[in-house]
Amino acid sequence: MNKQINNGFRTGLIFGIINIFLILIGFPMVAGTIIKDAIHNDSTVLLGLNADILDMLIFMGLIGLWAGASGGRRLKGEVDTWLDALASSASSGFTNGLLVGGLAYLLGALNDAGVRISVYLAAILPATIKQLLLGKNTLDGALLEFGFLFVTGLLGGALGFALRGQWRKALGDWWKKIWSGFVNSAWVRKIRSHPLFMPAVYALGLVILYIIPQEAGKYWNYTLGTVGIYVLLGLGLNVVVGFAGLLDLGYVAFFAIGAYTVALLTAPNPHHLMWSFWVALPIGIVLAAAAGILLGIPVLRMRGDYLAIVTLGFGEIIRILATSDLLTPFSGGPKGVSAIGGPTLFGKPFSSDKDFVYLIMIGILLTIFVTTQLRSSRVGRAWEAMREDETVARAMGINTLTHKLMAFAIGAAFAGLGGVLFASRNQFTGPEDHNLMVSINVLSVVIVGGMGSIPGVIAGAFALKGLPEVLREVQDYRVLFFGALLVIMMIWRPEGLWPSSRRSMELGKADDNAKKNSGAPGGKP
Amino acid sequence: MSMLEINDIHTYYGNIHALNGISLKVEKGEIVTLIGANGAGKTTTLRTIAGLLKPRQGQVLLEGEDITKLKAHEVVYKGVAMVPEGRGIFARLTVTENLDLGAYSRTDRQNFAQDLERVFTIFPRLKERQKQVAGTLSGGEQQMLAMGRSLMARPRILLMDEPSMGLAPILVESIFDTIVAINKEGTTILLVEQNALMALSIAARGYVLQTGEIVLLDSAANLKQNEMVRKSYLGIE
Ligand SMILES: Nc1ncnc2c1ncn2[C@@H]1O[C@H](COP(=O)(O)OP(=O)(O)OP(=O)(O)O)[C@@H](O)[C@H]1O
Ligand SMILES: [Mg+2]
């Protein structure tokens, strides 16, 4: 029993801390807005509750249920009876409630005392505090919040317990039966073995990709485009970091080169060249790749940390050069370049947000094709060896310098493509588009998604760029959000959201193998 | 013409003068061993031959051709393979992938399957464990993999850096048997060993290295009888 309570306490602590963090960045209020949007009850008063408070209750309720359920779940073999589950979830809910209720009380008391908390924490407005206190006064509200989390915790524990064991197994078995019955049935097999099956699947995929931008509105197409560009950048950086194992923190430099190329070549100012987008596009890509090689030649002899620092510097240099007095007449300076040209198709403009989603998708498909081909080629094998052990790779006859340069140039080329598309879509680019955060964001996309994994990078881009875009209000806290997400990911899923099969093998199965082969030492001595 | 000849090599690590004018020869088809205490410069010698380190002075000749200035990967293409110190297998790749990388320098990919079979005949254990991640192999298996991988390059000369390190006596013997077998198939071998007794029992000739200088060279049989060698490297009073 002690064990269950202890365990619940720890779970509650984790949930409570995460919850406090979310509250401090204003997340529950944003989540509340989304809940409101989802069920369209802007001002309806339900159950005698004001909508804001209802949203808060829904959000907190979900967290509470989750905390309770995982409080009961963490001890796999140890939660055998209802009593165990309830003890564990009660302790989890209690701790969670105590932390959050305590925070609510603290904020409420400070607010009552006339302290303007929003000066320090922008998300904590008096109205927010009121919402957190569920519309009551400080003490009552805090107690209510505590009680609510405690009760939902208990409920979550009970629910989790009920749904595990036989119920869950029954549900799983039922599903398995249906699924295997479906997969093994004669007609499904016949279809799957048909030579046109895979082409048909691809065709269907393309049709879906075609339809999505048609159906999405302007806002969603804009968001999709942004996420798509990050997918593109992530896939490119994945070649450098994931395949070749080179830590490049100046990736934004190549993105900037692509963006400035299309800007300076197609915009009326500062050069009045007004070239076609389609001419500027390949030039941007080639220039970015060339910059990759140019930067690569001096720095790729360095290893690890040094490489990271030097590339970091290079990333900043492009931006600083662009804003310098010296280059302002050439680059548009701090004000940036506007009225950048967009693509045309058969003489008609093809540059709405929707059109760009298509262009970006084509870019992504191209990138996926190129990177998968590369990975399974001789070059890919050389990268793999190099990433594992550079010296031994050289002793195998691998020219590590040219292979590093190749990775750098290819990654840079995709960044250039991303930059061209980004600047052209926004019809503007300026130094602020190219700060260090871009490099960090893209690197986070790669790491969170799963280094070396192509679907992982896509998932990572949606998680890191898509989510904050959806939760517009937390944008200001994106850095915090990233940080928290990265830490959580590193603890819970060090291999990334969707790891490459290799990485999951290393981190999971490899251990099992080592155990199976009894006493075999893992890794290098 | 000697398979390998190095003349008056001086290699530095920064200011540290690690090799102070080393010369040695390995004839075609020979096993030659290089023995010496820890830090004598054995690994440095092999790394210099392999092109991983550049000597400030001196020459490395492979069948008369000067390869001193070649880069490490170019040296491999000339037919020099290495079993690195501490094995240096790619721990996170599978056995097959490791062997595949061993053949990276080969232009005749059509012989790949045949070479793989050859390695599996020499090391049946590796065949059983083709799909296993190399880092999870036992120490002995990792050594077999490192040797197998070097054979995949079909080298003219094989540089081996302490292949017996960390292995149980029974395994050491079988590793040495394998070295002899590989040599019989026609690969010239330069063997660096701590286990001087074993090394001298399979080698034709030996060199003794002391703080970056060759202090003794003789036939293996004579070296075994040599007072200084017996004291310092064979542990016999
Ligand atoms: N990377 C390095 N940087 C600086 N000094 C080095 C480096 N590698 C080796 N040395 C030094 O060079 C000398 C020769 O080292 P080497 O590795 O060749 O010895 P070794 O004969 O192979 O020894 P062991 O039997 O212990 O492997 C040693 O004094 C060592 O400290
Ligand atoms: Mg050594």
Side-chain angles (χ1 to χ4, degrees), chain A residues 66 139 358 493:
Chain A
W66 189 6
L139 187 62
Y358 286 123
R493 272 187 85 81

Side-chain angles (χ1 to χ4, degrees), chain A residues 55-66:
Chain A
D55 295 337
M56 192 61 157
L57 281 179
I58 291 175
F59 176 78
M60 284 294 167
L62 287 175
I63 298 253
L65 284 172
W66 189 6

Side-chain angles (χ1 to χ4, degrees), chain A residues 11 15 19 57-73 85 88-90 92-93 96-97 147-161 163:
Chain A
T11 311
F15 269 88
N19 209 343
L57 281 179
I58 291 175
F59 176 78
M60 284 294 167
L62 287 175
I63 298 253
L65 284 172
W66 189 6
S70 42
R73 211 180 46 213
S88 175
S89 58
S92 169
N96 187 14
F148 184 67
L149 285 173
F150 181 56
V151 172
T152 50
L154 270 178
L155 264 175
L159 220 68
F161 187 73
L163 285 179

Side-chain angles (χ1 to χ4, degrees), chain B residues 13 16 18 36-45 85 162 194:
Chain B
Y13 292 105
I16 302 168
N38 292 116
K42 305 181 296 290
T43 300
T44 309
T45 308
E85 185 171 37
E162 304 200 28
Q194 288 281 343

Side-chain angles (χ1 to χ4, degrees), chain B residues 153-206:
Chain B
R154 279 202 176 265
R156 289 196 272 175
I157 180 165
L158 193 52
L159 313 174
M160 304 184 114
D161 199 343
E162 304 200 28
S164 75
M165 191 166 55
L167 300 184
I170 180 141
L171 254 177
V172 172
E173 246 174 76
S174 90
I175 288 281
F176 275 90
D177 288 347
T178 313
I179 295 173
V180 172
I182 292 169
N183 174 251
K184 288 238 168 72
E185 283 185 31
T187 310
T188 308
I189 291 171
L190 176 56
L191 173 67
V192 159
E193 257 304 329
Q194 288 281 343
N195 193 334
L197 190 61
M198 284 298 260
L200 288 172
S201 62
I202 65 166
R205 296 186 299 116

Side-chain angles (χ1 to χ4, degrees), chain A residues 229 253-288 330-331 336-344 350-351 356 359 415-430 433-434:
Chain A
I229 283 173
F254 311 118
F255 178 72
I257 287 171
Y260 269 106
T261 304
V262 71
L264 298 178
L265 290 180
T266 65
N269 281 306
H271 298 300
H272 200 74
L273 287 172
M274 314 276 286
W275 289 10
S276 152
F277 169 86
W278 296 114
V279 177
L281 175 76
I283 297 179
I285 296 172
V286 169
L287 284 183
F330 175 76
S331 65
V337 184
S338 39
I340 296 172
T344 51
F350 189 74
S351 55
F356 265 103
L359 286 178
L417 172 62
V420 169
L421 291 172
F422 187 72
S424 174
R425 182 193 67 164
N426 294 357
Q427 294 168 25
F428 168 82
T429 200
D433 283 351
H434 309 295

Side-chain angles (χ1 to χ4, degrees), chain A residues 315-357:
Chain A
E316 285 293 273
I317 282 173
I318 296 276
R319 185 174 64 87
I320 291 165
L321 275 182
T323 41
S324 69
D325 288 345
L326 186 71
L327 286 184
T328 294
F330 175 76
S331 65
K335 286 211 306 281
V337 184
S338 39
I340 296 172
T344 51
L345 204 62
F346 308 119
K348 290 200 196 81
F350 189 74
S351 55
S352 70
D353 286 337
K354 184 173 83 184
D355 299 335
F356 265 103
V357 172

